[in-house]
């Protein structure tokens, strides 16, 4: 599994006017200054993650993966990550992540 550093440092941890994820990640303690820790935690979470959906595309196979982990400040994150294994390669590359709102809602109801 490969995560391009630029995905974290120029996209996920930087405010985006549309579809921003930096605020979600900041609530768990992830900031641009510690982007390496986010990368580490995403990869570590994949060790016990659940593949929720597999889709064939013109470019390869795309995976929707559900995972959860505890952020830097102790807050639990329930996340969906998207990975793609391009045609002719053996490694999945990270595309994006977003909150798993369905699981977060279920967890909130249990409290």
């Amino acid at each position: 599994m490969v995560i391009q550093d630029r995905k974290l440092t120029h996209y996920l941890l930087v405010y985006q006017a549309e579809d921003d994820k930096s605020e979600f990640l900041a609530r768990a303690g992830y900031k641009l200054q510690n982007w390496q820790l986010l990368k580490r935690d995403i990869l570590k979470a994949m060790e016990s993650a659940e593949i929720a959906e597999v889709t064939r595309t013109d470019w390869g196979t795309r995976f929707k993966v559900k995972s959860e982990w505890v952020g830097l400040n102790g807050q639990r994150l329930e996340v969906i990550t998207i990975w793609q294994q391009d045609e002719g390669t053996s490694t999945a590359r990270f595309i994006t992540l977003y909150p798993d709102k369905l699981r977060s809602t279920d967890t909130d109801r249990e409290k």
Side-chain angles (χ1 to χ4, degrees), residues 45-67:
M46 292 304 101
E47 295 171 7
S48 61
E50 163 195 347
I51 296 177
E53 186 178 307
V54 178
T55 307
R56 296 278 308 144
T57 71
D58 291 340
W59 304 276
T61 304
R62 191 164 278 200
F63 302 91
K64 180 179 181 180
V65 180
K66 294 184 176 197
S67 64

PDB file of all heavy atoms in Angstrom, residues 45-67:
ATOM      1  N   ALA A  45      -3.915   1.223  10.428  1.00  0.00           N
ATOM      2  CA  ALA A  45      -5.338   0.868  10.488  1.00  0.00           C
ATOM      3  C   ALA A  45      -5.708  -0.133   9.399  1.00  0.00           C
ATOM      4  O   ALA A  45      -6.629  -0.942   9.575  1.00  0.00           O
ATOM      5  CB  ALA A  45      -6.197   2.121  10.374  1.00  0.00           C
ATOM      6  N   MET A  46      -4.997  -0.113   8.289  1.00  0.00           N
ATOM      7  CA  MET A  46      -5.306  -1.025   7.188  1.00  0.00           C
ATOM      8  C   MET A  46      -5.016  -2.478   7.551  1.00  0.00           C
ATOM      9  O   MET A  46      -5.559  -3.390   6.941  1.00  0.00           O
ATOM     10  CB  MET A  46      -4.521  -0.641   5.927  1.00  0.00           C
ATOM     11  CG  MET A  46      -4.932   0.676   5.296  1.00  0.00           C
ATOM     12  SD  MET A  46      -6.690   0.758   4.885  1.00  0.00           S
ATOM     13  CE  MET A  46      -7.325   1.726   6.249  1.00  0.00           C
ATOM     14  N   GLU A  47      -4.198  -2.693   8.563  1.00  0.00           N
ATOM     15  CA  GLU A  47      -3.881  -4.055   8.986  1.00  0.00           C
ATOM     16  C   GLU A  47      -5.104  -4.813   9.480  1.00  0.00           C
ATOM     17  O   GLU A  47      -5.183  -6.028   9.354  1.00  0.00           O
ATOM     18  CB  GLU A  47      -2.799  -4.031  10.070  1.00  0.00           C
ATOM     19  CG  GLU A  47      -1.465  -3.501   9.587  1.00  0.00           C
ATOM     20  CD  GLU A  47      -0.475  -3.284  10.712  1.00  0.00           C
ATOM     21  OE1 GLU A  47      -0.753  -3.655  11.874  1.00  0.00           O
ATOM     22  OE2 GLU A  47       0.605  -2.724  10.423  1.00  0.00           O
ATOM     23  N   SER A  48      -6.068  -4.092  10.040  1.00  0.00           N
ATOM     24  CA  SER A  48      -7.276  -4.752  10.566  1.00  0.00           C
ATOM     25  C   SER A  48      -8.550  -4.184   9.944  1.00  0.00           C
ATOM     26  O   SER A  48      -9.635  -4.358  10.489  1.00  0.00           O
ATOM     27  CB  SER A  48      -7.322  -4.601  12.089  1.00  0.00           C
ATOM     28  OG  SER A  48      -7.379  -3.227  12.433  1.00  0.00           O
ATOM     29  N   ALA A  49      -8.415  -3.536   8.798  1.00  0.00           N
ATOM     30  CA  ALA A  49      -9.560  -2.887   8.157  1.00  0.00           C
ATOM     31  C   ALA A  49     -10.443  -3.896   7.425  1.00  0.00           C
ATOM     32  O   ALA A  49     -10.045  -5.028   7.160  1.00  0.00           O
ATOM     33  CB  ALA A  49      -9.058  -1.831   7.177  1.00  0.00           C
ATOM     34  N   GLU A  50     -11.637  -3.436   7.127  1.00  0.00           N
ATOM     35  CA  GLU A  50     -12.644  -4.259   6.448  1.00  0.00           C
ATOM     36  C   GLU A  50     -12.889  -3.693   5.047  1.00  0.00           C
ATOM     37  O   GLU A  50     -13.246  -2.528   4.900  1.00  0.00           O
ATOM     38  CB  GLU A  50     -13.940  -4.202   7.269  1.00  0.00           C
ATOM     39  CG  GLU A  50     -15.170  -4.646   6.560  1.00  0.00           C
ATOM     40  CD  GLU A  50     -16.451  -4.215   7.291  1.00  0.00           C
ATOM     41  OE1 GLU A  50     -16.378  -3.792   8.457  1.00  0.00           O
ATOM     42  OE2 GLU A  50     -17.509  -4.298   6.654  1.00  0.00           O
ATOM     43  N   ILE A  51     -12.668  -4.525   4.026  1.00  0.00           N
ATOM     44  CA  ILE A  51     -12.977  -4.091   2.658  1.00  0.00           C
ATOM     45  C   ILE A  51     -14.492  -4.134   2.505  1.00  0.00           C
ATOM     46  O   ILE A  51     -15.114  -5.185   2.636  1.00  0.00           O
ATOM     47  CB  ILE A  51     -12.294  -4.974   1.606  1.00  0.00           C
ATOM     48  CG1 ILE A  51     -10.781  -4.847   1.728  1.00  0.00           C
ATOM     49  CG2 ILE A  51     -12.763  -4.596   0.202  1.00  0.00           C
ATOM     50  CD1 ILE A  51      -9.994  -5.738   0.793  1.00  0.00           C
ATOM     51  N   ALA A  52     -15.083  -2.978   2.257  1.00  0.00           N
ATOM     52  CA  ALA A  52     -16.532  -2.870   2.190  1.00  0.00           C
ATOM     53  C   ALA A  52     -17.061  -2.999   0.758  1.00  0.00           C
ATOM     54  O   ALA A  52     -18.201  -3.404   0.560  1.00  0.00           O
ATOM     55  CB  ALA A  52     -16.986  -1.530   2.777  1.00  0.00           C
ATOM     56  N   GLU A  53     -16.215  -2.653  -0.205  1.00  0.00           N
ATOM     57  CA  GLU A  53     -16.688  -2.661  -1.592  1.00  0.00           C
ATOM     58  C   GLU A  53     -15.485  -2.729  -2.528  1.00  0.00           C
ATOM     59  O   GLU A  53     -14.464  -2.101  -2.282  1.00  0.00           O
ATOM     60  CB  GLU A  53     -17.464  -1.368  -1.833  1.00  0.00           C
ATOM     61  CG  GLU A  53     -18.144  -1.251  -3.152  1.00  0.00           C
ATOM     62  CD  GLU A  53     -18.925   0.068  -3.221  1.00  0.00           C
ATOM     63  OE1 GLU A  53     -19.730   0.344  -2.308  1.00  0.00           O
ATOM     64  OE2 GLU A  53     -18.702   0.808  -4.195  1.00  0.00           O
ATOM     65  N   VAL A  54     -15.633  -3.495  -3.604  1.00  0.00           N
ATOM     66  CA  VAL A  54     -14.609  -3.592  -4.640  1.00  0.00           C
ATOM     67  C   VAL A  54     -15.285  -3.257  -5.965  1.00  0.00           C
ATOM     68  O   VAL A  54     -16.324  -3.810  -6.291  1.00  0.00           O
ATOM     69  CB  VAL A  54     -13.994  -5.012  -4.700  1.00  0.00           C
ATOM     70  CG1 VAL A  54     -12.974  -5.115  -5.821  1.00  0.00           C
ATOM     71  CG2 VAL A  54     -13.386  -5.394  -3.361  1.00  0.00           C
ATOM     72  N   THR A  55     -14.666  -2.329  -6.715  1.00  0.00           N
ATOM     73  CA  THR A  55     -15.235  -1.883  -7.979  1.00  0.00           C
ATOM     74  C   THR A  55     -14.171  -1.907  -9.061  1.00  0.00           C
ATOM     75  O   THR A  55     -13.069  -1.400  -8.842  1.00  0.00           O
ATOM     76  CB  THR A  55     -15.772  -0.430  -7.853  1.00  0.00           C
ATOM     77  OG1 THR A  55     -16.657  -0.362  -6.745  1.00  0.00           O
ATOM     78  CG2 THR A  55     -16.493   0.008  -9.103  1.00  0.00           C
ATOM     79  N   ARG A  56     -14.503  -2.484 -10.191  1.00  0.00           N
ATOM     80  CA  ARG A  56     -13.600  -2.439 -11.348  1.00  0.00           C
ATOM     81  C   ARG A  56     -13.828  -1.129 -12.083  1.00  0.00           C
ATOM     82  O   ARG A  56     -14.963  -0.717 -12.290  1.00  0.00           O
ATOM     83  CB  ARG A  56     -13.884  -3.605 -12.305  1.00  0.00           C
ATOM     84  CG  ARG A  56     -13.614  -4.958 -11.728  1.00  0.00           C
ATOM     85  CD  ARG A  56     -12.180  -5.411 -11.772  1.00  0.00           C
ATOM     86  NE  ARG A  56     -11.622  -5.305 -13.099  1.00  0.00           N
ATOM     87  CZ  ARG A  56     -10.367  -4.959 -13.345  1.00  0.00           C
ATOM     88  NH1 ARG A  56      -9.557  -4.693 -12.369  1.00  0.00           N
ATOM     89  NH2 ARG A  56      -9.912  -4.869 -14.566  1.00  0.00           N
ATOM     90  N   THR A  57     -12.731  -0.464 -12.457  1.00  0.00           N
ATOM     91  CA  THR A  57     -12.813   0.770 -13.233  1.00  0.00           C
ATOM     92  C   THR A  57     -11.967   0.594 -14.500  1.00  0.00           C
ATOM     93  O   THR A  57     -11.285  -0.423 -14.660  1.00  0.00           O
ATOM     94  CB  THR A  57     -12.280   1.987 -12.438  1.00  0.00           C
ATOM     95  OG1 THR A  57     -10.851   1.877 -12.330  1.00  0.00           O
ATOM     96  CG2 THR A  57     -12.904   2.073 -11.057  1.00  0.00           C
ATOM     97  N   ASP A  58     -11.984   1.590 -15.351  1.00  0.00           N
ATOM     98  CA  ASP A  58     -11.156   1.548 -16.563  1.00  0.00           C
ATOM     99  C   ASP A  58      -9.671   1.586 -16.226  1.00  0.00           C
ATOM    100  O   ASP A  58      -8.837   1.228 -17.048  1.00  0.00           O
ATOM    101  CB  ASP A  58     -11.490   2.728 -17.482  1.00  0.00           C
ATOM    102  CG  ASP A  58     -12.881   2.602 -18.096  1.00  0.00           C
ATOM    103  OD1 ASP A  58     -13.431   1.476 -18.132  1.00  0.00           O
ATOM    104  OD2 ASP A  58     -13.415   3.629 -18.546  1.00  0.00           O
ATOM    105  N   TRP A  59      -9.324   2.035 -15.024  1.00  0.00           N
ATOM    106  CA  TRP A  59      -7.925   2.202 -14.636  1.00  0.00           C
ATOM    107  C   TRP A  59      -7.405   1.106 -13.720  1.00  0.00           C
ATOM    108  O   TRP A  59      -6.226   1.010 -13.467  1.00  0.00           O
ATOM    109  CB  TRP A  59      -7.733   3.564 -13.957  1.00  0.00           C
ATOM    110  CG  TRP A  59      -8.193   4.665 -14.852  1.00  0.00           C
ATOM    111  CD1 TRP A  59      -7.468   5.253 -15.855  1.00  0.00           C
ATOM    112  CD2 TRP A  59      -9.468   5.282 -14.865  1.00  0.00           C
ATOM    113  NE1 TRP A  59      -8.235   6.207 -16.490  1.00  0.00           N
ATOM    114  CE2 TRP A  59      -9.477   6.252 -15.898  1.00  0.00           C
ATOM    115  CE3 TRP A  59     -10.633   5.126 -14.120  1.00  0.00           C
ATOM    116  CZ2 TRP A  59     -10.576   7.048 -16.196  1.00  0.00           C
ATOM    117  CZ3 TRP A  59     -11.722   5.915 -14.413  1.00  0.00           C
ATOM    118  CH2 TRP A  59     -11.684   6.863 -15.433  1.00  0.00           C
ATOM    119  N   GLY A  60      -8.309   0.306 -13.164  1.00  0.00           N
ATOM    120  CA  GLY A  60      -7.892  -0.745 -12.251  1.00  0.00           C
ATOM    121  C   GLY A  60      -9.008  -1.115 -11.295  1.00  0.00           C
ATOM    122  O   GLY A  60     -10.185  -0.915 -11.586  1.00  0.00           O
ATOM    123  N   THR A  61      -8.643  -1.622 -10.143  1.00  0.00           N
ATOM    124  CA  THR A  61      -9.611  -2.049  -9.131  1.00  0.00           C
ATOM    125  C   THR A  61      -9.587  -1.055  -7.982  1.00  0.00           C
ATOM    126  O   THR A  61      -8.525  -0.740  -7.440  1.00  0.00           O
ATOM    127  CB  THR A  61      -9.263  -3.454  -8.615  1.00  0.00           C
ATOM    128  OG1 THR A  61      -9.193  -4.346  -9.727  1.00  0.00           O
ATOM    129  CG2 THR A  61     -10.300  -3.946  -7.627  1.00  0.00           C
ATOM    130  N   ARG A  62     -10.766  -0.582  -7.613  1.00  0.00           N
ATOM    131  CA  ARG A  62     -10.896   0.398  -6.538  1.00  0.00           C
ATOM    132  C   ARG A  62     -11.499  -0.295  -5.316  1.00  0.00           C
ATOM    133  O   ARG A  62     -12.442  -1.064  -5.440  1.00  0.00           O
ATOM    134  CB  ARG A  62     -11.780   1.544  -6.993  1.00  0.00           C
ATOM    135  CG  ARG A  62     -11.747   2.713  -6.037  1.00  0.00           C
ATOM    136  CD  ARG A  62     -12.300   3.952  -6.657  1.00  0.00           C
ATOM    137  NE  ARG A  62     -11.246   4.563  -7.464  1.00  0.00           N
ATOM    138  CZ  ARG A  62     -11.235   5.818  -7.843  1.00  0.00           C
ATOM    139  NH1 ARG A  62     -12.222   6.607  -7.521  1.00  0.00           N
ATOM    140  NH2 ARG A  62     -10.247   6.296  -8.564  1.00  0.00           N
ATOM    141  N   PHE A  63     -10.932   0.014  -4.157  1.00  0.00           N
ATOM    142  CA  PHE A  63     -11.363  -0.588  -2.892  1.00  0.00           C
ATOM    143  C   PHE A  63     -11.874   0.489  -1.947  1.00  0.00           C
ATOM    144  O   PHE A  63     -11.201   1.495  -1.720  1.00  0.00           O
ATOM    145  CB  PHE A  63     -10.189  -1.302  -2.208  1.00  0.00           C
ATOM    146  CG  PHE A  63      -9.559  -2.370  -3.042  1.00  0.00           C
ATOM    147  CD1 PHE A  63      -8.489  -2.076  -3.877  1.00  0.00           C
ATOM    148  CD2 PHE A  63     -10.041  -3.666  -3.001  1.00  0.00           C
ATOM    149  CE1 PHE A  63      -7.901  -3.064  -4.659  1.00  0.00           C
ATOM    150  CE2 PHE A  63      -9.458  -4.657  -3.777  1.00  0.00           C
ATOM    151  CZ  PHE A  63      -8.389  -4.353  -4.611  1.00  0.00           C
ATOM    152  N   LYS A  64     -13.040   0.251  -1.378  1.00  0.00           N
ATOM    153  CA  LYS A  64     -13.589   1.099  -0.320  1.00  0.00           C
ATOM    154  C   LYS A  64     -13.365   0.323   0.977  1.00  0.00           C
ATOM    155  O   LYS A  64     -13.841  -0.811   1.124  1.00  0.00           O
ATOM    156  CB  LYS A  64     -15.084   1.328  -0.561  1.00  0.00           C
ATOM    157  CG  LYS A  64     -15.761   2.179   0.466  1.00  0.00           C
ATOM    158  CD  LYS A  64     -17.234   2.350   0.084  1.00  0.00           C
ATOM    159  CE  LYS A  64     -17.979   3.210   1.048  1.00  0.00           C
ATOM    160  NZ  LYS A  64     -19.395   3.351   0.649  1.00  0.00           N
ATOM    161  N   VAL A  65     -12.603   0.927   1.892  1.00  0.00           N
ATOM    162  CA  VAL A  65     -12.168   0.216   3.094  1.00  0.00           C
ATOM    163  C   VAL A  65     -12.639   0.966   4.334  1.00  0.00           C
ATOM    164  O   VAL A  65     -12.424   2.174   4.458  1.00  0.00           O
ATOM    165  CB  VAL A  65     -10.625   0.083   3.109  1.00  0.00           C
ATOM    166  CG1 VAL A  65     -10.163  -0.658   4.346  1.00  0.00           C
ATOM    167  CG2 VAL A  65     -10.130  -0.613   1.845  1.00  0.00           C
ATOM    168  N   LYS A  66     -13.256   0.233   5.258  1.00  0.00           N
ATOM    169  CA  LYS A  66     -13.712   0.820   6.524  1.00  0.00           C
ATOM    170  C   LYS A  66     -12.696   0.484   7.612  1.00  0.00           C
ATOM    171  O   LYS A  66     -12.268  -0.656   7.735  1.00  0.00           O
ATOM    172  CB  LYS A  66     -15.084   0.270   6.904  1.00  0.00           C
ATOM    173  CG  LYS A  66     -16.165   0.687   5.944  1.00  0.00           C
ATOM    174  CD  LYS A  66     -17.524   0.210   6.402  1.00  0.00           C
ATOM    175  CE  LYS A  66     -18.584   0.750   5.455  1.00  0.00           C
ATOM    176  NZ  LYS A  66     -19.906   0.679   6.041  1.00  0.00           N
ATOM    177  N   SER A  67     -12.338   1.502   8.373  1.00  0.00           N
ATOM    178  CA  SER A  67     -11.387   1.281   9.460  1.00  0.00           C
ATOM    179  C   SER A  67     -11.692   2.246  10.598  1.00  0.00           C
ATOM    180  O   SER A  67     -12.465   3.189  10.441  1.00  0.00           O
ATOM    181  CB  SER A  67      -9.951   1.476   8.970  1.00  0.00           C
ATOM    182  OG  SER A  67      -9.734   2.805   8.567  1.00  0.00           O
TER     183      SER A  67
END
